[in-house]
Amino acid sequence: VPSIPNSKAAMSFADALARAPPGGGGGGGGSQAATTEAAPPDEPVVASSGDGELDVTNAIKACKDKMSKAIANVQSNFDSVRTGRANPAMLDNIEVEYYGSMAPLNTVAGISVPEASTLVVKPFDTSALGDIEKAILASDLGITPNNDGQQIRLSIPDMTEERRKELTKTVGKYAEEGKVAIRNVRRDAMKVAQRCEKDGLISKDRLKEAEDEVQKITDGSIKKLEDAAAAKDKDVMTL
């Protein structure tokens, strides 16, 4: 792949990853876990800047940033998984039709926890109360809202052990989606380093160093994700 030194067309790997939108889907509640789309197999991930060391350094930095974002996205999905206690994050994935547009519930209403097993949703505009109720009913929350004309109360019922086990499967699904995203980021970073070595921009020793560093970042990210999943599983199964 010919290098493109000092060209405005050249894009650093860090820029390319920063611009890549998360894709893929998460289950239950319409949340989305981070994913990184694969580059076409016969094309470079990004154009070379002509400076191999710069490309590799940027690739490793972007790798760290993108993996951190993937973990944060999965953690957000974990927070939306119901436990036996009231938590405003349970409503994070619910969107309400408000003046013709879809808006996150927490942007059109205040959410409070007056009791350990109760959520209160108070709209900033009471005319949205019916739409909020409709959105809650249409979600996979599994709780019937109590609308008193001013606010909505949600009583969190105790979950059966069977239901808790089902939710741990959802946690596992979110964790696996996060691992896929992390591995995709690793793959792209490795491609940049391997391309630079192939083009004679870095040495074989530098390639090995870069691959080892990317793998170390990957292993650490996977460990953080697995620890978060284990903590969420424990939270879900705690009576």
Side-chain angles (χ1 to χ4, degrees):
V1 180
S3 62
I4 312 175
N6 301 320
S7 168
K8 292 182 179 178
M11 180 186 296
S12 72
F13 183 72
D15 289 340
L17 277 186
R19 295 178 188 179
S31 62
Q32 294 186 330
T35 59
T36 305
E37 295 193 7
D42 297 328
E43 297 180 13
V45 178
V46 292
S48 170
S49 70
D51 183 334
E53 184 57 38
L54 176 63
D55 284 353
V56 169
T57 299
N58 285 344
I60 292 172
K61 180 180 184 301
C63 178
K64 292 178 182 177
D65 293 345
K66 200 70 175 180
M67 287 186 186
S68 293
K69 289 177 183 177
I71 293 171
N73 286 345
V74 175
Q75 185 62 62
S76 177
N77 286 339
F78 286 166
D79 290 344
S80 71
V81 175
R82 212 186 115 191
T83 64
R85 294 175 297 283
N87 182 347
M90 295 166 57
L91 308 180
D92 280 355
N93 294 324
I94 297 179
E95 292 195 335
V96 179
E97 185 173 356
Y98 189 62
Y99 288 102
S101 299
M102 301 306 294
L105 173 56
N106 57 16
T107 65
V108 299
I111 303 169
S112 60
V113 187
E115 301 169 13
S117 61
T118 303
L119 286 174
V120 170
V121 181
K122 189 174 181 58
F124 304 131
D125 176 359
T126 55
S127 68
L129 196 62
D131 289 328
I132 291 173
E133 181 179 16
K134 187 186 301 182
I136 293 172
L137 286 169
S139 74
D140 64 352
L141 194 60
I143 300 173
T144 301
N146 179 5
N147 183 347
D148 67 6
Q150 296 295 321
Q151 60 188 18
I152 291 173
R153 295 181 70 87
L154 298 170
S155 296
I156 314 301
D158 291 335
M159 292 189 293
T160 64
E161 183 176 359
E162 181 180 0
R163 176 57 177 158
R164 291 176 186 275
K165 288 180 178 179
E166 289 176 1
L167 290 176
T168 62
K169 291 179 181 178
T170 299
V171 171
K173 178 183 177 183
Y174 286 146
E176 187 55 37
E177 289 171 346
K179 289 179 182 180
V180 169
I182 288 170
R183 288 166 184 151
N184 285 344
V185 174
R186 174 188 63 183
R187 175 205 60 206
D188 288 349
M190 293 287 197
K191 279 186 177 181
V192 171
Q194 290 162 1
R195 184 201 65 210
C196 288
E197 190 276 330
K198 181 179 179 181
D199 292 349
L201 300 176
I202 61 172
S203 67
K204 289 185 181 296
D205 286 344
R206 179 63 180 114
L207 170 61
K208 181 64 166 58
E209 289 176 0
E211 288 178 333
D212 288 348
E213 187 169 356
V214 169
Q215 188 58 52
K216 182 177 180 181
I217 296 167
T218 301
D219 292 343
S221 297
I222 293 289
K223 177 67 164 55
K224 287 180 182 178
L225 196 153
E226 289 177 340
D227 288 347
K232 186 62 182 183
D233 278 343
K234 182 178 179 180
D235 192 27
V236 168
M237 292 303 297
T238 300
L239 298 176

